[in-house]
């Protein structure tokens, strides 16, 4: 099993570790020390050796940080983790609602006069430290970079991941790394930059057509790179990781030990592009100390990586057909078993991973499956453990959000199903969520439109009923890379214009705390809109669907649908049967035919 059901931390561990950290802070003349969740690469997941926030506090969420002072230790968490943090941390930690409460404002209240705030400059971005510096300016406090204070205390700290990097085949990548490096190097030269420092592992993975096994669920190679304006690349990784890919990388890429990264920064000349949103403050400090001129701009790989080429899109289509067949077999199994009783959330997650494994192509799951039945469905980032495991009961809505990592693509799909017979309210809410999902699926929009313009379409049916959901409508997705990938999103916060080739999730939901949750999620790819009779001569974009798995027709209230929505559902189901039918047989095929019948 890729997924584990063991609770990863306990509140017991925190108090003694916090006391030891405070002793070290006092000895070092620090009034506060910051412990972020992030590692040097700012990814969503961290390796066990970098899980410092979890080691200290017990909190295992994917975002947040702890500000430790002599009298108080604030654990800053966003809306997703308000429930989880209470279960995971001891009373010596104080949950702080972030970003509503800013770190700087909180520190101004808590710090003694003239207080000194220490931090590890490799674990905070340039923007984070810049913002904190601005917030604390003129208050008499000092920000001080220090060595990491946790690492010496963490006596049984796991070893860093050591698995070697692997080459990502050209038949999956669609463009050689030589061409990508030459293309991006020329862009740097045109902008007057001599080099770009790249600290995001999924950028390195895309640029050099390599993958790694350093982080669960995300096949990224933990490394740094410097791209020069002539297309040469210096790749910095732990010794041994790059030996097997030296031939793939060729003479244009120099493989160097990660310990040489700092000296390499100091040796750069001319204008050097650095992304302040992701690069560690240490990079800026090293450059400044050496007199290297930093040009703050986005990581040059992010947009080219987001515009998937035709080979990557073809791979994603195939991965979704393979994954769709596994999910259809799972749903047929679930529909047969759930009404009989006795199934739990863990049974469901285990069975789903089993069906995906039977494809013989599953390399990992793309995130821990979220399976929430009844009230658990209302917890958006619920991860079942042996302690929380709940049985599926008649009348429960079950939210199952899951995905797979395959060599040709990454999947992410949510289906909500009913155990037995739904009531009218469950059907009405489900249908409104589905109408929002259909609206995004059908939309045509002019070039230049961003996620912030489209997000409301997914909410409109809910808004009319006085309802809403508290997450974005969709996120970008990588190709055998991170399931959450920027920069494009369907969110009122995203002003990145959508472009052909960008892949997104389309996942509206509705959550009634203590009662039920609903989410429906397909992946979509942005395409040039097909021609339309009578349309103006204007460049328009649209979405092509990637995910082919039936929607639970028992939950659809056809009386709420327009004719266009009805037609869309019937066409979606006919296409699903056509795509997936040849890939399943027996009881699963019988189930699929019934599930895909016209409304
Ligand atoms: Zn999902
Ligand atoms: Zn998603």
């Amino acid at each position: 099993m890729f997924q584990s059901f063991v609770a990863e931390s306990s509140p017991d561990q925190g108090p003694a570790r916090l006391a030891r950290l405070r002793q070290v802070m006092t000895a070092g003349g620090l009034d506060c020390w910051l412990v972020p969740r992030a590692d040097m690469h700012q990814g969503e997941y961290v390796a066990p050796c970098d899980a410092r926030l979890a080691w200290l506090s017990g909190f295992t969420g994917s975002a947040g940080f702890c500000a430790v002072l002599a009298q108080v230790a604030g654990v800053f968490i966003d809306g997703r983790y308000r429930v989880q943090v209470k279960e995971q941390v001891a009373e010596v930690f104080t949950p702080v609602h972030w970003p509503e409460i800013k770190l700087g404002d909180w520190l101004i209240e808590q710090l003694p006069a003239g207080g000194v705030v220490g931090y590890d400059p490799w674990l905070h971005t340039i923007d984070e430290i810049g913002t904190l510096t601005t917030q604390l300016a003129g208050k008499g406090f000092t920000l001080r970079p220090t060595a990491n204070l946790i690492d010496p205390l963490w006596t049984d700290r796991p070893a860093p991941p050591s698995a070697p990097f692997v080459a990502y085949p050209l038949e999956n990548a669609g463009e050689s790394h030589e061409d990508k490096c030459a293309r991006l190097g020329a862009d740097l030269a045109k902008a007057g930059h001599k080099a770009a420092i790249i600290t995001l592992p999924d950028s390195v993975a895309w640029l050099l057509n390599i993958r790694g096994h350093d982080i669960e669920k995300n096949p990224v190679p933990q490394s740094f790179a410097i791209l020069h304006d002539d297309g040469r690349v210096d790749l910095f990784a732990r010794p041994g990781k790059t030996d097997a890919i030296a031939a793939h990388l060729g003479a244009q890429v120099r493989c160097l030990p990660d310990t040489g990264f700092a000296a390499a920064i100091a040796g750069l000349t001319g204008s050097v592009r650095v992304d302040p949103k992701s690069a560690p403050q240490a990079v800026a400090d090293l450059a400044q100390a050496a007199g290297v001129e930093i040009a703050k701009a986005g990581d040059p790989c992010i947009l080219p990586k987001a515009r998937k080429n035709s080979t990557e899109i073809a791979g994603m289509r195939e991965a979704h057909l393979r994954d769709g067949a596994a999910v259809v077999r799972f749903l047929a199994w679930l529909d047969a078993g759930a009404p009989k009783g006795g199934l739990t959330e863990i049974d469901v997650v285990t069975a789903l991973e089993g069906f995906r494994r039977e494809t013989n192509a599953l390399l990992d799951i793309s995130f821990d499956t979220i399976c929430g039945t009844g009230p658990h469905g209302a917890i958006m980032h619920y991860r079942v453990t042996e302690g929380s495991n709940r049985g599926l009961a008649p009348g429960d809505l079950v939210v199952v959000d899951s995905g797979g990592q395959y060599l040709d693509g990454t999947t992410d799909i949510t289906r909500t199903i009913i155990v037995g017979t739904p009531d009218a309210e469950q059907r009405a809410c489900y249908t409104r969520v589905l109408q929002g999902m259909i609206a995004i699926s059908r939309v045509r929009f002019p070039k230049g439109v961003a996620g912030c313009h489209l997000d409301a379409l997914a909410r409109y049916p809910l808004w009319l009923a006085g309802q809403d959901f508290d997450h974005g409508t969709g996120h970008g997705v990588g190709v055998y890379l991170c399931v959450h990938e920027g920069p494009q999103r369907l969110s009122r916060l995203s002003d990145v214009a959508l472009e052909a080739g960008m892949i997104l999730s389309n996942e509206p939901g509705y959550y009634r705390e203590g009662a039920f949750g609903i989410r429906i999620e397909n992946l979509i790819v942005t395409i040039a809109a097909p021609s339309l009779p009578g349309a103006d001569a204007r460049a328009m974009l649209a979405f092509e669907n990637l995910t082919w798995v039936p929607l639970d027709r028992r939950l659809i209230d056809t009386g709420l649908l327009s004719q266009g929505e009805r037609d869309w559902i019937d066409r979606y189901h006919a296409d699903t049967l056509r795509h997936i039918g040849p890939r399943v047989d027996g009881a699963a095929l019988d189930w699929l035919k019934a599930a895909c019948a016209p409304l």
Side-chain angles (χ1 to χ4, degrees):
M1 272 301 276
F2 290 117
Q3 187 152 343
S4 139
F5 304 109
V6 179
E8 290 158 348
S9 70
S10 114
D12 309 342
Q13 67 194 30
R17 292 172 181 179
L18 183 62
R20 282 156 64 202
L21 176 60
R22 282 178 169 148
Q23 284 170 1
V24 179
M25 284 166 48
T26 308
L30 299 171
D31 300 288
C32 172
W33 202 68
L34 302 176
V35 185
R37 145 80 181 186
D39 64 12
M40 293 190 282
H41 304 285
Q42 301 292 325
E44 184 174 358
Y45 296 87
V46 296
C49 63
D50 287 316
R52 297 178 182 88
L53 179 61
W55 179 85
L56 176 70
S57 69
F59 174 67
T60 60
S62 67
F65 55 92
C66 184
V68 179
L69 285 84
Q71 304 301 332
V72 62
V75 179
F76 289 67
I77 36 91
D78 64 43
R80 295 172 291 172
Y81 295 113
R82 303 238 156 108
V83 178
Q84 180 176 328
V85 74
K86 285 184 211 152
E87 288 163 9
Q88 289 191 316
V89 306
E91 276 178 16
V92 292
F93 294 95
T94 307
V96 181
H97 287 191
W98 170 74
E100 293 85 343
I101 298 176
K102 294 184 176 69
L103 173 62
D105 294 339
W106 188 84
L107 285 175
I108 288 166
E109 271 181 28
Q110 303 289 344
L111 281 169
V116 180
V117 179
Y119 65 95
D120 178 344
W122 284 101
L123 304 183
H124 297 268
T125 66
I126 295 168
D127 271 357
E128 276 171 17
I129 296 304
T131 301
L132 190 55
T133 304
T134 307
Q135 287 168 353
L136 296 183
K139 308 282 185 207
F141 304 123
T142 308
L143 267 173
R144 182 187 297 167
T146 70
N148 196 287
L149 303 191
I150 298 270
D151 296 356
L153 299 176
W154 192 352
T155 47
D156 57 350
R157 188 175 170 212
S162 60
F165 298 163
V166 293
Y168 190 59
L170 182 59
E171 58 258 41
N172 296 109
E175 182 182 9
S176 73
H177 69 279
E178 289 93 344
D179 287 352
K180 292 178 183 176
C181 293
R183 181 155 70 92
L184 269 58
D187 288 346
L188 286 180
K190 212 183 294 171
H193 304 314
K194 292 296 289 175
I197 297 176
I198 298 167
T199 64
L200 294 173
D202 66 330
S203 289
V204 176
W206 174 83
L207 181 68
L208 298 179
N209 288 342
I210 59 174
R211 298 294 187 267
H213 303 285
D214 295 331
I215 302 285
E216 281 182 8
K217 279 100 186 176
N218 288 181
V220 291
Q222 296 287 82
S223 52
F224 297 107
I226 298 175
L227 169 67
H228 299 274
D229 65 349
D230 58 2
R232 284 181 305 109
V233 173
D234 296 326
L235 174 64
F236 301 87
R238 288 176 54 75
K241 281 181 170 278
T242 56
D243 297 351
I245 55 166
H248 159 77
L249 292 174
Q252 205 184 8
V253 181
R254 273 199 305 174
C255 296
L256 300 160
D258 55 346
T259 46
F261 182 49
I265 294 171
L268 292 170
T269 54
S271 166
V272 176
R273 179 165 165 166
V274 173
D275 188 345
K277 288 194 187 71
S278 53
Q281 175 63 33
V283 168
D285 294 343
L286 286 162
Q288 196 185 9
V292 176
E293 180 197 335
I294 292 277
K296 288 185 186 173
D299 177 322
C301 300
I302 287 179
L303 263 173
K305 169 160 61 66
R307 301 176 188 124
K308 309 305 184 213
N309 62 40
S310 58
T311 305
E312 292 171 311
I313 294 169
M316 285 293 268
R317 283 197 195 103
E318 176 58 28
H320 277 78
L321 295 176
R322 182 188 311 119
D323 193 70
V327 176
V328 162
R329 293 177 64 218
F330 157 75
L331 288 174
W333 167 87
L334 182 63
D335 233 13
K340 293 182 198 150
L343 282 184
T344 67
E345 293 165 339
I346 289 182
D347 296 332
V348 171
V349 174
T350 305
L352 176 53
E353 190 175 316
F355 285 111
R356 284 204 165 98
R357 282 177 177 275
E358 284 174 21
T359 64
N360 291 321
L362 184 73
L363 299 175
D364 201 340
I365 51 177
S366 56
F367 56 97
D368 279 327
T369 296
I370 298 168
C371 171
T373 191
H376 283 172
I379 307 170
M380 279 169 249
H381 288 259
Y382 175 66
R383 172 180 164 270
V384 56
T385 65
E386 274 145 11
S388 72
N389 192 21
R390 191 183 153 94
L392 276 59
D396 273 3
L397 288 174
V398 189
V399 178
V400 184
D401 187 351
S402 69
Q405 290 285 11
Y406 304 94
L407 192 63
D408 48 7
T410 301
T411 70
D412 181 6
I413 171 174
T414 310
R415 286 294 179 268
T416 301
I417 44 254
I418 183 73
V419 182
T421 311
D423 63 30
E425 179 66 2
Q426 288 169 328
R427 295 179 80 215
C429 293
Y430 180 91
T431 304
R432 287 192 278 268
V433 173
L434 176 58
Q435 287 174 299
M437 188 269 217
I438 293 171
I440 295 289
S441 305
R442 294 173 70 193
V443 70
R444 305 169 68 97
F445 54 93
K447 275 191 178 165
V449 158
C452 59
H453 305 118
L454 298 180
D455 180 74
L457 294 174
R459 300 173 195 272
Y460 184 60
L462 287 162
W463 283 353
L464 288 182
Q467 299 172 333
D468 198 8
F469 57 93
D470 294 323
H471 57 77
T473 297
H475 53 84
V477 180
V479 175
Y480 187 44
L481 270 180
C482 304
V483 76
H484 294 144
E485 181 183 280
Q488 78 281 6
R489 283 186 292 160
L490 296 178
S491 155
R492 71 187 78 169
L493 300 175
S494 177
D495 60 0
V496 177
L498 298 176
E499 299 181 49
M502 287 183 168
I503 292 175
L504 289 152
S505 72
N506 169 16
E507 52 178 312
Y510 176 66
Y511 309 90
R512 190 167 289 178
E513 199 178 337
F516 62 80
I518 295 164
R519 184 161 61 254
I520 308 171
E521 176 181 25
N522 280 355
L523 296 197
I524 50 181
V525 56
T526 314
I527 56 169
S531 60
L532 190 66
D536 292 347
R538 190 186 271 271
M540 302 280 278
L541 296 169
F543 295 124
E544 175 193 316
N545 202 71
L546 292 172
T547 307
W548 302 105
V549 171
L551 306 154
D552 192 336
R553 47 195 294 122
R554 295 164 298 191
L555 285 165
I556 300 173
D557 183 343
T558 51
L560 295 175
L561 299 176
S562 69
Q563 189 59 46
E565 289 164 340
R566 238 186 127 117
D567 292 345
W568 186 91
I569 295 169
D570 283 343
R571 205 166 46 245
Y572 179 74
H573 278 152
D575 288 344
T576 298
L577 182 59
R578 186 165 52 81
H579 288 308
I580 305 294
R583 293 174 181 251
V584 295
D585 55 15
L589 180 57
D590 294 342
W591 179 89
L592 179 66
K593 284 178 180 164
C596 291
L599 286 176

